[in-house]
Amino acid sequence: MNDKFRIDSTKLQYHPQRVTQLLDGKDDWEKAKEIYPIYVEVSPVGACNHRCTFCAVDYIGYQSRQLTTTVYVDAIREMIYLGLKSVMFAGEGEPLLHKNINKMVSATLALGADVSFTTNGTLLNKLDMAGVSWVKVSLNAGTRETYAKVHRTKEKDWDTVWANLKDAVARKGDCTLGVQMVLLPENEHEAPLLQARCNDAGVDYLVLKPYSQHKSSITHEYEGWKPNVVLPESPGTVVRKESIETTEIPYDKCHATPYLWAYIMATGDVYSCSAYLLDERFRLGNINTQNFLDIWQGDLRRANWEYVRKELDIRDCRVNCRMDKSNRYLDDLINGVPHGNFL
């Protein structure tokens, strides 16, 4: 299957200076405190207009709160100055519900960072896609009936999303437009239907990924279930086979946290890992009351740095987490591979 966007891999090898900095400073706080994120996930709002059966962050409660635009822009300006390269708007809510989302995007682009979105697509017509690197629409079915069941919404949203995708294809410019299906018992058999619909719509890719159980999720309905999807060959379809086959974490430590990324909640709270939202051990500070440099070099991040290095049991982490592929890459660099000097 074609994966030209490296969806089922890492892009960390394209940031050799930051990797070198991490390898050199990972065990020295005076160096580690100056290793800043390459990438940040931002949740502009806590509310969501769907209640997907597989939602990893159902435990947060879809609360009606949002980031203030000026606070966000000030924080991102500082983060970009410190070395941030990209922002993905997603989070514990539907990002396009934020009334000033286009202002947040344009400010981020003007400051020099790349922007992307993960969205359910019901409000995609609201987004100004100019300059956005990619948009991925979570569309987890091949029929409107299954869609309504999995997304726990009205069937009319199925038609809204496809109308929005058709419109987005026509106006996306250089933005890459994708669709994602989380494979579940209810929808696996409909993957070929979704693939055909995506091909007809002209989206750039369809990615099929396994469900990953979040340790804090209320739902455990899909825990342990493994998909067995079979699809016709298509250059625009990416089946995350390695992720599907992974049932346990193949390394002993998280090497990416708290260095290479961060997560900003709709409350303004900054976390070092999205798998541990609301866990005080991973909360580093809040952009409403602190500047980012103070957060990143502060006592809470140092405590998290110590905890991840010395105490975190990787078996408590989420399998196929956001940093999994980066961790595999870093683990090979740190611990070596057989015959590594033979190029």
Side-chain angles (χ1 to χ4, degrees):
M1 294 289 184
N2 183 30
D3 189 10
K4 69 177 182 179
F5 301 113
R6 308 294 198 275
I7 293 170
D8 203 23
S9 61
T10 182
K11 303 182 185 75
L12 195 52
Q13 64 269 29
Y14 304 116
H15 301 275
Q17 291 179 322
R18 205 73 61 95
V19 171
T20 300
Q21 187 184 14
L22 188 156
L23 297 177
D24 181 55
K26 62 185 179 64
D27 295 318
D28 180 343
W29 172 246
E30 291 305 312
K31 294 180 179 180
K33 71 181 183 181
E34 295 184 345
I35 304 171
Y36 301 106
I38 297 171
Y39 159 76
V40 65
E41 294 184 19
V42 175
S43 180
V45 296
C48 191
N49 54 351
H50 285 182
R51 294 291 184 271
C52 298
T53 59
F54 59 87
C55 181
V57 290
D58 52 4
Y59 69 99
I60 296 176
Y62 314 105
Q63 297 180 43
S64 183
R65 55 197 182 191
Q66 62 179 12
L67 286 174
T68 302
T69 306
T70 54
V71 169
Y72 164 81
V73 172
D74 287 344
I76 290 298
R77 178 184 290 109
E78 185 181 7
M79 293 176 74
I80 292 170
Y81 175 78
L82 294 170
L84 184 75
K85 302 294 185 183
S86 63
V87 176
M88 182 177 79
F89 290 106
E92 66 263 27
E94 165 51 49
L96 293 176
L97 285 170
H98 197 291
K99 62 181 181 180
N100 290 325
I101 193 64
N102 285 321
K103 291 181 180 179
M104 297 169 80
V105 170
S106 61
T108 307
L109 293 171
L111 290 166
D114 297 336
V115 171
S116 68
F117 277 84
T118 296
T119 170
N120 63 36
T122 54
L123 299 170
L124 185 56
N125 59 314
K126 172 184 175 181
L127 178 64
D128 181 355
M129 300 172 70
V132 175
S133 295
W134 55 264
V135 174
K136 183 166 57 183
V137 174
S138 183
L139 211 172
N140 302 282
T143 64
R144 61 171 47 83
E145 294 81 12
T146 301
Y147 174 85
K149 178 181 178 181
V150 170
H151 284 251
R152 289 195 286 208
T153 189
K154 297 177 181 178
E155 289 187 12
K156 67 178 183 179
D157 278 1
W158 167 267
D159 300 310
T160 297
V161 172
W162 284 108
N164 287 345
L165 281 169
K166 181 180 179 181
D167 170 68
V169 167
R171 64 184 177 87
K172 69 186 184 70
D174 293 331
C175 179
T176 299
L177 181 62
V179 168
Q180 175 176 282
M181 172 190 268
V182 176
L183 294 167
L184 306 169
E186 297 98 315
N187 67 19
E188 180 185 45
H189 65 287
E190 294 183 357
L193 295 176
L194 181 59
Q195 181 187 48
R197 186 76 183 257
C198 287
N199 289 339
D200 290 343
V203 301
D204 294 301
Y205 68 82
L206 165 67
V207 59
L208 305 179
K209 62 179 286 187
Y211 171 80
S212 174
Q213 181 65 45
H214 193 293
K215 299 296 183 177
S216 299
S217 292
I218 295 171
T219 179
H220 286 262
E221 181 179 352
Y222 306 113
E223 188 170 12
W225 183 79
K226 282 184 66 66
N228 185 30
V229 65
V230 178
L231 286 175
E233 288 289 333
S234 170
T237 301
V238 178
V239 181
R240 297 190 59 176
K241 291 182 178 180
E242 186 172 298
S243 296
I244 290 172
E245 293 167 0
T246 297
T247 57
E248 58 184 29
I249 299 170
Y251 39 85
D252 295 328
K253 291 184 179 295
C254 180
H255 305 296
T257 303
Y259 306 105
L260 300 175
W261 74 314
Y263 185 102
I264 301 176
M265 293 186 68
T267 58
D269 280 334
V270 178
Y271 283 81
S272 63
C273 177
S274 67
Y276 289 96
L277 301 180
L278 303 189
D279 186 328
E280 285 296 311
R281 296 171 300 177
F282 289 82
R283 193 181 74 86
L284 310 183
N286 189 293
I287 61 171
N288 288 301
T289 57
Q290 300 167 272
N291 63 51
F292 186 78
L293 184 65
D294 288 344
I295 292 172
W296 203 249
Q297 295 193 355
D299 292 341
L300 291 179
R301 180 170 174 256
R302 181 168 187 171
N304 181 248
W305 173 76
E306 294 280 8
Y307 174 74
V308 173
R309 288 169 61 244
K310 298 178 180 179
E311 299 180 48
L312 176 65
D313 186 343
I314 202 72
R315 291 170 296 182
D316 291 334
C317 291
R318 187 180 185 184
V319 176
N320 287 317
C321 73
R322 182 77 68 192
M323 289 292 115
D324 176 64
K325 297 300 189 295
S326 293
N327 269 325
R328 294 176 190 233
Y329 177 76
L330 290 169
D331 196 64
D332 283 348
L333 291 178
I334 292 168
N335 295 317
V337 296
H339 314 303
N341 290 330
F342 290 88
L343 303 182

